[in-house]
Amino acid sequence: RPHRVRLTHHLMVNYGLYKHVNVFRPKIASHADMSAFHSDDFIRFLHDITQDNMQDCIAQLERFNLGADCPVFDGLFEYCQTYTGGSISGAARINQGCSDIVLNWSGGMHHAKK
């Protein structure tokens, strides 16, 4: 996980804030879930980009807004599937009236330009 996400998680735990919220494990977002909001080019890029090949993909990194703020790391695509699933699940909880407020502190990190 990126540092700022780990930091947020550790703050929640160390200040005991996790005791005052319900935490849900998200359903992993499918390709169809992700392509409803993002281009196939972006999804393919997230799937294929690695720390080993990112130097060969500078134009795509700029096109899709990845870099210091949105890092490339091992397991990036699976991570994106997880936090996208968290955002979708959170929206569903609100729509179903199960929750008034939801928070996904990873949501939107790898922001695409559709």
Side-chain angles (χ1 to χ4, degrees), residues 16-47:
L17 299 173
Y18 72 95
K19 297 175 186 173
H20 305 283
V21 298
N22 295 313
V23 178
F24 298 95
R25 190 169 303 272
K27 179 186 110 182
I28 302 299
S30 67
H31 184 275
D33 292 332
M34 295 175 78
S35 65
F37 297 96
H38 299 296
S39 70
D40 285 337
D41 286 346
F42 180 65
I43 296 167
R44 189 171 23 262
F45 174 74
L46 288 176
H47 185 270

